[in-house]
Amino acid sequence: MIPRPLFHAVAVLTVAMVFLQPATAEEQASEASSARIEARPGIPAAVRDMTPVDMVALARLSDVDVHSSGLQALVTRSVADWAEDGRIDQYWRYDIAAGTLDHLTALDDADSVHFSPQGDRLAADMPPGGSREDEVFLANTDGTGLQRLTRHPTSVRSVSWSPDGNWIYFLATDDYTDDEKADRDRFALIDPYFETIRHRHLWRADPQTGETQRMTQGDWSVRSYDIAENGALLIRIAPAGDLDSSYESELWICDRPEPGASFRQITDNAWMEGHISLSPDGRRVAYRARVTRAGLAYVQYNLVVLDVETGQSRILTDGVDFEVDGLAWTPDGGALIVAVRAGVRSGLVRIDAESGGITELSLHDRRLMDWSLDDAGYVLALFQTPDTNGDLWRIAPDGHGSRLTTIGAAEVAPFRRPEQQLIRWRSHDGQMIEGFYFPPLVQDNDTPPPLVVQAHGGPRSADEFGQWKWGRYVPVLAAQGYGVLWVNYRGGVGYGDDFMRAMHGTYFAHADADVLGGVDHLVASGRADPERLIMSGWSAGGHMTNRLISTTGRFRAASTGASAVDWAMHHLTSDTRGARRLLFGADAWAEGALDEVFYPQSLLRDLHRVSTPTLIFAGENDERVHPSQSIMLYQALRNLGVEVRLYLAPGEGHSFSDLSHRLFRINAELDWYARHIGRPPHNWQARPETALGEDGNNR
C-alpha cells in the first residue's frame, strides 16, 4: 500500500522561468486554418463495393470536447496518411451555430487540445520542432498565434486548464539528475525490466508567464487528477507506473492547491478508481470501479459516489444490467451524466447523486464513441450507427436529441453496405444470447453463403451497432459474398453481473457454446453453409478461435491474432495480471494454482485435436499477449501436420497501427478464406503511395 503520512505540494519556480515565445517556423508550419468542411454535407448514393484499402483509409470523427458555453467544440478527425504509413489526428474547431468545421493545421502534431474556460485560447501538448517530447503550447481558437509555454525537461501529458483559467495543469515523469545521467551513460546501460525508474508527478504552468510549479513529490506516481469548480484538487496515486499497480491506487484531495498545501487521503481500498471526478463544490467524488457492496469482484464497472468529509461511499448502480463507461457531474452537482454499455447499444443516462435514480437520456441502436458536457447540461455526443462511422448529436437535459452532422454518413455512403441484423438464440443451457448477422451483398448461387464468425476481444466487451471497425472489415466481406456473425458471448459486458461472471473461474464454461449456438442458429435458418464456416478473432477473440479449432473440426479455415494458448504463461508474461487475477481467481505462482486452475483450462491440452487450416498474426512488441503464445501455437500445429502460417509484424504491439500492416492482414485473411472454401485466390490490393492534401485527405 502507499505510505499514509500527509504530503505537501512542492513549489518549484521552474528551472527556466519561461516567458511565452512564438513558436519557431519549424514548430508552426501553418499558422491558420487551411480547410473548412460543412457539418452537414450531402449524402451520396451507394455506387460501389468497399475494398480493403477503402476500409483501412476511412476518415472518421473520433473525439469531441465541447466548450462550457456550448457554442463551439474541438473535434478530432482521424485520417489515413499512406505516405507516413499511419493515421493522423487532426483538430477541427466546430462552430455549432454556423455548422462549419475549420482545420487547425498548426496543431496537427498535438496529442490533445483544450479550450480555456473563457473560450479565447487553446492549450495543446505537442512536440517542438525536432523533438519527440511534448511541451505545452498556446494558440488562438482559430489555430493562429501558436506559442510555446513550457520548456519542461521531460515530456508533458494529461494537460488541462484550471476552472478559473489561471493555471494549466499537466503530468510529467521525473527527470534524471546530472549525476544519474552521467551514471546511465557510463554504467547503467540497461534499464531493469518492468520496474518504475522515474515516477510521474503533477505540475502546473502560468499561462501568462510560463512559470511552472511542481504540485506533488514522493516515491509514487500520479495516475490521474481532477479539479473542481471551487478549486479543490483530486489526485489518484499508485506505488508504481505499471498497470498492476493501478489496483493499489488511492485518492487524495487538497482543498486549496497552493505551494506547500497538504493533501489528505480519502480512500483506502483494494480496487482501482477510474474516471475520477469531483463535484462542482468539491464535496463529493464520483468514480467507476469493479466493486460490489462486498468489495472488489469480477463484476461490471459500477458508479461509486464518495462523500469527501465523511468518507462514506455508495455504489449507485449495483445490480443493474448496464456497465458504467464514463461519467461527468451535472452543472448543479445534483446528478451525474453516465455513459453506459447496455448489450448491443451504448449511450447516456442520468443518475441522481442522492437517490441513485436512473433516467435514460440516449440509448438507441447505436454505439457511443465519445461525448462532452457543457455548462447548460447539454451533451455533444459522437455516435456510430450501421450507416455512419461517426456523427455528432446534441442531447438535451430532458433526453431530446438532434443530429448536428452528416460527415460520417457522407464518408461511408458511396459504399454498398450490408444490413446489420440483430439476432437472438438459446445457448446449450437455455441462456438467451444476442448477436449480429450481416448477410452478403452477393451470392454465388442458391446455396447458403459461407459464414465468417468474428469473436470480439476483451473478453470484457460486447459488439454494438455499427460496422466500421477496420479489423472486422464487414462491408468488404459482404461485398465478396460472405455472411458475418458477431456474438455477445458470456463473459462480456452490458448484460448484468451474472452474465459476465459466467466466465469467472472457468473461462470456457459457456462462452464457446454461446458462439457455436449462433452458428447453429444461422445454419438451421439457411443463412450459413455448414460446409463453409470460418472462425476468426483478435486478442480474447483469438483465445475463442483457438478454443473452437481445438474442440471442433467444423471450420474450414481460421484466423487468430494476438491470442493465447497457455494461460499460466500468458499470466506471467503479460504487462498486467490484475484483470486476469479477478477472472481466474488465482495467480499462476500460487500453491496448487497451476494444477487446479491454469493447466486444466490450458488450450495446449487440446491442440492435438486441431485440423483446421489456421492463420496466425502477432505483433513482435506485443506486451499484452506476448508473441511467444502465437509461436507456441504455430510450432504445435506445424509439427502436427496442420496447415498453418504465422506472421509476426515488426514494430507492432497488441493492435496493428501501420496502415500497411492493417491492409496486409485483410488481404492475407481474404486469401486464406478463399482458398480454403474452394474459391479462386484473393486478388491482393496494393497500398497506395499518396500523401495528404490541404483538405486533410489523401491526394
Side-chain angles (χ1 to χ4, degrees):
M1 302 297 285
I2 298 165
R4 296 292 183 249
L6 293 178
F7 59 88
H8 300 276
V10 180
V12 180
L13 302 183
T14 337
V15 205
M17 287 243 316
V18 182
F19 292 90
L20 282 177
Q21 299 179 11
T24 65
E26 235 184 339
E27 291 166 356
Q28 51 175 7
S30 174
E31 264 289 308
S33 304
S34 63
R36 169 174 287 184
I37 57 177
E38 297 299 319
R40 299 184 67 89
I43 301 176
V47 294
R48 66 184 182 89
D49 293 334
M50 180 174 280
T51 69
V53 166
D54 294 327
M55 188 76 232
V56 172
L58 276 179
R60 66 177 185 274
L61 304 184
S62 58
D63 298 288
V64 60
D65 183 13
V66 68
H67 182 254
S68 59
S69 66
L71 301 176
Q72 57 182 339
L74 290 166
V75 178
T76 307
R77 184 170 181 253
S78 175
V79 298
D81 188 342
W82 289 100
E84 296 296 326
D85 201 19
R87 297 195 70 87
I88 296 175
D89 285 340
Q90 303 171 334
Y91 294 91
W92 297 69
R93 178 182 173 274
Y94 175 29
D95 185 321
I96 296 175
T100 56
L101 290 89
D102 291 301
H103 183 193
L104 308 178
T105 55
L107 301 175
D108 272 355
D109 290 333
D111 287 319
S112 68
V113 183
H114 309 274
F115 282 116
S116 66
Q118 295 76 22
D120 59 346
R121 285 190 293 178
L122 301 173
D125 52 317
M126 57 189 289
S131 173
R132 294 193 301 177
E133 303 294 316
D134 281 2
E135 296 284 359
V136 180
F137 282 75
L138 294 178
N140 299 321
T141 56
D142 63 358
T144 63
L146 186 66
Q147 295 178 303
R148 179 173 175 176
L149 179 67
T150 63
R151 295 185 181 275
H152 203 75
T154 61
S155 185
V156 309
R157 57 184 294 176
S158 302
V159 171
S160 67
W161 292 84
S162 62
D164 58 12
N166 291 335
W167 297 98
I168 296 174
Y169 283 78
F170 61 89
L171 297 177
T173 301
D174 289 344
D175 193 19
Y176 292 97
T177 65
D178 290 341
D179 288 343
E180 288 172 331
K181 290 176 182 177
D183 184 64
R184 287 173 63 81
D185 289 340
R186 297 175 61 200
F187 306 112
L189 304 179
I190 303 175
D191 286 335
Y193 173 71
F194 207 72
E195 294 181 22
T196 299
I197 307 301
R198 301 278 96 182
H199 285 290
R200 185 187 307 149
H201 281 281
L202 182 64
W203 294 71
R204 68 183 185 183
D206 185 325
Q208 302 302 323
T209 67
E211 170 193 318
T212 62
Q213 296 177 344
R214 180 169 181 154
M215 302 303 293
T216 62
Q217 183 166 299
D219 191 23
W220 33 262
S221 289
V222 178
R223 306 302 293 266
S224 59
Y225 67 95
D226 189 47
I227 311 166
E229 289 294 328
N230 73 345
L233 175 62
L234 177 70
I235 59 174
R236 181 170 70 93
I237 67 175
D242 60 88
L243 291 174
D244 285 348
S245 294
S246 293
Y247 288 84
E248 302 177 62
S249 66
E250 302 295 354
L251 302 182
W252 297 65
I253 195 168
C254 177
D255 296 325
R256 298 181 180 276
E258 293 295 334
S262 295
F263 285 72
R264 60 188 176 92
Q265 185 175 351
I266 58 174
T267 63
D268 185 4
N269 53 48
W271 54 81
M272 174 174 55
E273 305 89 356
H275 293 269
I276 61 173
S277 180
L278 272 167
S279 62
D281 61 8
R283 298 174 60 185
R284 289 181 289 189
V285 174
Y287 62 87
R288 73 169 197 171
R290 287 187 234 173
V291 61
T292 67
R293 291 182 175 88
L296 180 69
Y298 189 70
V299 293
Q300 299 187 121
Y301 280 112
N302 277 312
L303 174 64
V304 182
V305 172
L306 165 71
D307 186 292
V308 172
E309 184 176 350
T310 66
Q312 180 184 7
S313 293
R314 293 176 298 123
I315 302 171
L316 299 188
T317 54
D318 199 17
V320 301
D321 283 347
F322 62 71
E323 177 173 69
V324 172
D325 196 38
L327 53 100
W329 288 93
T330 55
D332 63 5
L336 292 120
I337 305 301
V338 180
V340 299
R341 305 183 69 179
V344 294
R345 303 166 184 87
S346 53
L348 298 162
V349 301
R350 183 174 58 251
I351 300 180
D352 188 278
E354 287 297 329
S355 68
I358 300 170
T359 303
E360 182 179 314
L361 295 179
S362 180
L363 197 55
H364 305 291
D365 290 352
R366 52 195 186 190
R367 177 188 180 199
L368 180 63
M369 304 297 294
D370 195 28
W371 60 286
S372 183
L373 180 69
D374 68 25
D375 281 354
Y378 285 78
V379 174
L380 190 61
L382 177 65
F383 287 105
Q384 278 192 2
T385 75
D387 296 315
T388 173
N389 71 338
D391 273 307
L392 294 170
W393 274 257
R394 193 171 191 231
I395 312 298
D398 64 1
H400 176 74
S402 56
R403 185 170 184 166
L404 300 182
T405 72
T406 56
I407 297 169
E411 179 74 19
V412 302
F415 306 106
R416 285 183 278 269
R417 305 174 300 282
E419 179 186 1
Q420 185 170 12
Q421 300 174 357
L422 176 61
I423 60 174
R424 297 180 178 91
W425 62 91
R426 297 281 179 184
S427 190
H428 67 113
D429 60 348
Q431 172 69 49
M432 183 65 72
I433 302 296
E434 286 189 323
F436 290 109
Y437 175 65
F438 301 87
L441 293 170
V442 295
Q443 275 190 246
D444 297 333
N445 45 50
D446 293 334
T447 62
L451 179 71
V452 177
V453 184
Q454 297 178 332
H456 68 69
R460 299 186 69 263
S461 181
D463 281 323
E464 299 170 350
F465 280 95
Q467 52 183 302
W468 307 110
K469 301 174 184 178
W470 76 265
R472 301 290 187 88
Y473 57 97
V474 170
V476 179
L477 286 165
Q480 298 198 15
Y482 295 96
V484 178
L485 171 66
W486 292 357
V487 178
N488 281 351
Y489 53 83
R490 273 173 281 187
V493 301
Y495 295 93
D497 288 341
D498 289 344
F499 189 92
M500 197 187 81
R501 285 179 61 81
M503 186 177 275
H504 180 247
T506 304
Y507 196 101
F508 291 112
H510 303 286
D512 53 335
D514 295 344
V515 174
L516 288 178
V519 173
D520 292 338
H521 175 70
L522 292 179
V523 168
S525 59
R527 288 176 282 181
D529 185 345
E531 300 302 319
R532 294 187 293 171
L533 302 176
I534 297 164
M535 185 65 213
S536 66
W538 196 271
S539 192
H543 309 339
M544 177 67 73
T545 300
N546 297 344
R547 164 70 173 185
L548 289 175
I549 63 173
S550 62
T551 54
T552 178
R554 296 176 63 182
F555 296 100
R556 292 294 174 261
S559 176
T560 178
S563 61
V565 292
D566 186 320
W567 292 126
M569 287 281 288
H570 179 32
H571 191 63
L572 290 164
T573 57
S574 176
D575 61 347
T576 179
R577 272 140 295 285
R580 212 166 297 109
R581 181 180 297 128
L582 286 174
L583 173 57
F584 284 101
D587 285 306
W589 54 84
E591 182 177 1
L594 285 178
D595 293 332
E596 297 171 11
V597 178
F598 290 94
Y599 283 164
Q601 300 185 57
S602 173
L603 301 178
L604 281 174
R605 294 167 56 93
D606 295 313
L607 290 185
H608 66 280
R609 304 177 187 272
V610 177
S611 59
T612 303
T614 303
L615 190 60
I616 308 171
F617 295 93
E620 279 189 343
N621 298 335
D622 190 350
E623 295 183 332
R624 185 61 41 83
V625 181
H626 197 274
S628 59
Q629 294 284 322
S630 294
I631 294 172
M632 292 166 67
L633 175 61
Y634 170 75
Q635 292 293 3
L637 299 191
R638 174 177 172 271
N639 283 280
L640 285 166
V642 177
E643 185 179 358
V644 62
R645 180 166 294 157
L646 167 63
Y647 292 109
L648 288 176
E652 296 286 11
H654 192 55
S655 300
F656 288 2
S657 59
D658 288 0
L659 299 181
S660 56
H661 291 158
R662 293 181 175 187
L663 178 60
F664 178 87
R665 179 190 151 194
I666 295 175
N667 275 321
E669 286 187 340
L670 289 172
D671 188 63
W672 193 261
Y673 299 164
R675 290 194 297 108
H676 288 96
I677 63 169
R679 286 184 169 182
H682 167 65
N683 184 20
W684 287 52
Q685 192 175 17
R687 77 173 246 183
E689 299 293 341
T690 56
L692 290 179
E694 289 186 358
D695 60 355
N697 293 309
N698 284 279
R699 288 196 292 262

